[in-house]
Amino acid sequence: GENVEQHPSTLSVQEGDSAVIKCTYSDSASNYFPWYKQELGKRPQLIIDIRSNVGEKKDQRIAVTLNKTAKHFSLHITETQPEDSAVYFCAASEVAAGAQKLVFGQGTRLTINP
Amino acid sequence: ETGVTQTPRHLVMGMTNKKSLKCEQHLGHNAMYWYKQSAKKPLELMFVYSLEERVENNSVPSRFSPECPNSSHLFLHLHTLQPEDSALYLCASSLQTGPYEQYFGPGTRLTVT
């Protein structure tokens, strides 16, 4: 089955700097890679996703890159702000028993220091 | 945020109790999920339902029993739980199973004493 590894587990950056979180996956058949943000005490929410036919996607200060050959994808946050502090989860799709499901990474706790 | 709701928000139960968690989605989705979130395994998929039919059971112990009476409601029946089952239980829904955004509920914080 699919295995997703996420690094680092914790990340601390100064406000205004950039943050990068990296994930690797094992199943070359995976074709969908979302990123979720979970603020303290709140539910996970999708912030950006990318499909396997695209190499990069941007949405304002957030971007995701995908390298299918190397089977890794990354989240880039530029000009970080205090409200970016949260736990971020990457995920990769996996088809099992005829249904496509998501396999999540272990999460990265991002802290933005003012 | 009322798309996916869960009740109760907090639950404390003894190991011999029987309780149920409820999830309801108002988004017209056809797929629903139960996840367990703990410090050891942040987002662990338990069950997947598509059009009220269970399509995935991720090797979950039988003391957890899901029920999906219709595409808007999902239950997780609990009995004879262990202290290590204490966790946040998250429900989610998506348009279908597959490459679609999953919308999570607020979760039920379960403590087993």
Side-chain angles (χ1 to χ4, degrees), chain B residues 72-83:
Chain B
S72 298
H73 294 85
L74 185 64
F75 295 89
L76 188 62
H77 304 298
L78 317 171
H79 64 97
T80 59
L81 294 191
Q82 304 298 312

Side-chain angles (χ1 to χ4, degrees), chain A residues 31-32 36 38 41 43-46 49 51 89 96-102 104-107, chain B residues 1 4 33 35 37 42-43 45 48 55-56 58 88 90 97-102 104-106:
Chain A
N31 60 6
Y32 175 63
Y36 284 79
Q38 187 174 25
R43 69 192 79 190
Q45 290 190 297
L46 180 75
D49 57 13
R51 299 174 193 272
F89 294 97
Q100 193 168 41
K101 63 177 186 179
L102 295 179
F104 285 86
Q106 299 91 329
Chain B
E1 298 183 66
V4 182
Y33 313 80
Y35 287 90
Q37 187 169 47
L43 272 172
L45 179 66
V48 180
V55 296
E56 176 75 8
N58 242 19
L88 181 69
L90 290 162
T97 59
Y100 300 98
E101 178 177 0
Q102 292 188 15
F104 285 84

Side-chain angles (χ1 to χ4, degrees), chain A residues 37-39 81-88 110-113:
Chain A
K37 174 184 180 182
Q38 187 174 25
E39 297 179 48
Q81 301 169 3
E83 54 264 36
D84 294 329
S85 293
V87 178
Y88 291 80
L110 174 64
T111 302
I112 307 302
N113 301 308

Side-chain angles (χ1 to χ4, degrees), chain A residues 64-111:
Chain A
V64 57
T65 58
L66 171 65
N67 183 326
K68 285 186 62 181
T69 303
K71 287 189 278 190
H72 67 72
F73 56 113
S74 301
L75 178 71
H76 305 254
I77 306 174
T78 58
E79 301 172 21
T80 53
Q81 301 169 3
E83 54 264 36
D84 294 329
S85 293
V87 178
Y88 291 80
F89 294 97
C90 65
S93 61
E94 176 187 49
V95 177
Q100 193 168 41
K101 63 177 186 179
L102 295 179
V103 178
F104 285 86
Q106 299 91 329
T108 296
R109 182 173 300 279
L110 174 64
T111 302

Side-chain angles (χ1 to χ4, degrees), chain B residues 7-8 11-22 34 46-47 60-67 75-82 85-87 89 108-112:
Chain B
T7 55
L11 178 63
V12 179
M13 60 186 288
M15 289 191 285
T16 58
N17 290 158
K18 288 185 180 181
K19 296 286 184 183
S20 295
L21 309 185
K22 180 183 176 181
W34 279 116
M46 300 175 72
F47 300 103
V60 179
S62 59
R63 57 186 183 269
F64 295 92
S65 175
E67 179 190 0
F75 295 89
L76 188 62
H77 304 298
L78 317 171
H79 64 97
T80 59
L81 294 191
Q82 304 298 312
D85 297 322
S86 298
Y89 287 85
T108 295
R109 174 68 62 186
L110 174 67
T111 303
V112 182

